[in-house]
Amino acid sequence: MISRPCFPVQSIKLWRVTHVIASCCVCCLLCVMCADDGVHLHSLPDLQLTAAASRTARASAFSWDDGRRLLVTAIKRKVVSHQLDSTNSFLEMTEYNFPEPVITLSWAGSNIIFGTAKSYWLIVPAASQSVEVLPGQVMTIYPAVQPQLLFAAGAGSAPVMTRLPSGEVLIIKDAVSYFLGPDGKPSRKTTITWSQPPLALMATKLYVVAVLPAAVEVKSVSRLGAAAAEQMLVLPGMAVAAPNPAPDGSLYLAS
């Protein structure tokens, strides 16, 4: 069983946000949040607005790379990347266009794995180029490339994924999670089976947490063969989640 059980700690109302669409992603003392009017940077723990990423309104999902301070956002049939500069401002970098609306996506090393209603795909960005956008201010740009088809998504649920601390990406096909490496290929023989198809996933070094329609299910990465959930929390109405924990170990959920 889990040595340190999970439990709700605090609820915060964001007055300017009418609908949280995609997950919050916690990095250092900042929180990147995707709402109906775009992707924003908030301070922690008070969630005060710090910055906004351009052209991200009506986004469906995003993924944040804390080490490189890179953001990728899915907006309908395109994916836009931004870099967070030293002043905590978002600088737009690259735009990728696709024939289908992008529902979810995640960094996988330096690559991007994303899911549409029908399929999972892989983007291998071209070699980066350093461009001086202002005197003394250099930005890294990745030229647009064509995506690579990986495999079909589940027939009974929307595609869901999260990035693990190991660098792998955990994806959902129906109610089963599969581990993928940065190349988009399965990285483990084991899988994780949930009681229902998850609405969202988040991961720590030891556990994976799935947001279900009426509860939150927690399973140990080191004991994937266990048939029963390590822990079940009754939290109805949750729909999105931060894919990784805050520095103090807290996990952020939103309705």
Side-chain angles (χ1 to χ4, degrees):
M1 298 300 293
I2 294 176
S3 58
R4 296 179 60 188
C6 303
F7 56 89
V9 174
Q10 185 179 8
S11 176
I12 300 174
K13 172 67 175 178
L14 300 179
W15 296 104
R16 68 176 302 277
V17 176
T18 58
H19 181 207
V20 178
I21 298 172
S23 58
C24 313
C25 182
V26 180
C27 51
C28 301
L29 297 177
L30 299 172
C31 174
V32 184
M33 181 177 294
C34 182
D36 48 3
D37 56 348
V39 177
H40 310 111
L41 187 69
H42 296 263
S43 60
L44 291 176
D46 54 358
L47 293 178
Q48 293 298 308
L49 179 65
T50 301
S54 61
R55 298 201 307 130
T56 57
R58 298 180 296 278
S60 57
F62 76 91
S63 182
W64 170 256
D65 186 319
D66 197 19
R68 298 183 297 163
R69 295 167 68 89
L70 292 177
L71 171 76
V72 285
T73 308
I75 311 103
K76 297 183 178 179
R77 289 183 169 88
K78 64 183 178 182
V79 170
V80 179
S81 63
H82 292 79
Q83 185 165 42
L84 189 66
D85 66 13
S86 58
T87 65
N88 286 337
S89 297
F90 286 111
L91 302 176
E92 188 173 328
M93 297 167 55
T94 310
E95 179 179 315
Y96 304 93
N97 294 290
F98 308 105
E100 302 176 48
V102 178
I103 297 174
T104 183
L105 78 172
S106 174
W107 285 107
S110 59
N111 299 333
I112 305 167
I113 295 176
F114 68 95
T116 66
K118 299 179 181 179
S119 309
Y120 284 98
W121 300 75
L122 175 71
I123 296 175
V124 180
S128 62
Q129 302 174 2
S130 296
V131 178
E132 189 174 21
V133 293
L134 293 172
Q137 187 175 25
V138 177
M139 181 175 66
T140 302
I141 294 179
Y142 295 87
V145 296
Q146 292 297 315
Q148 304 173 23
L149 177 64
L150 295 178
F151 43 80
S157 62
V160 175
M161 66 178 68
T162 192
R163 183 175 52 183
L164 301 176
S166 62
E168 300 164 293
V169 172
L170 193 66
I171 68 158
I172 289 289
K173 289 188 69 175
D174 297 319
V176 180
S177 287
Y178 298 85
F179 296 86
L180 301 183
D183 58 359
K185 298 178 181 179
S187 56
R188 305 189 193 185
K189 295 181 179 180
T190 53
T191 59
I192 303 177
T193 301
W194 307 98
S195 58
Q196 293 177 272
L199 303 174
L201 292 172
M202 50 186 155
T204 70
K205 291 182 179 180
L206 299 177
Y207 302 101
V208 178
V209 181
V211 178
L212 307 180
V216 173
E217 197 169 355
V218 185
K219 294 206 175 186
S220 170
V221 175
S222 61
R223 296 191 294 276
L224 299 181
E230 297 288 343
Q231 187 178 353
M232 182 79 76
L233 303 175
V234 179
L235 287 174
M238 297 296 104
V240 294
N244 53 331
D248 64 357
S250 300
L251 298 173
Y252 285 75
L253 303 176
S255 59

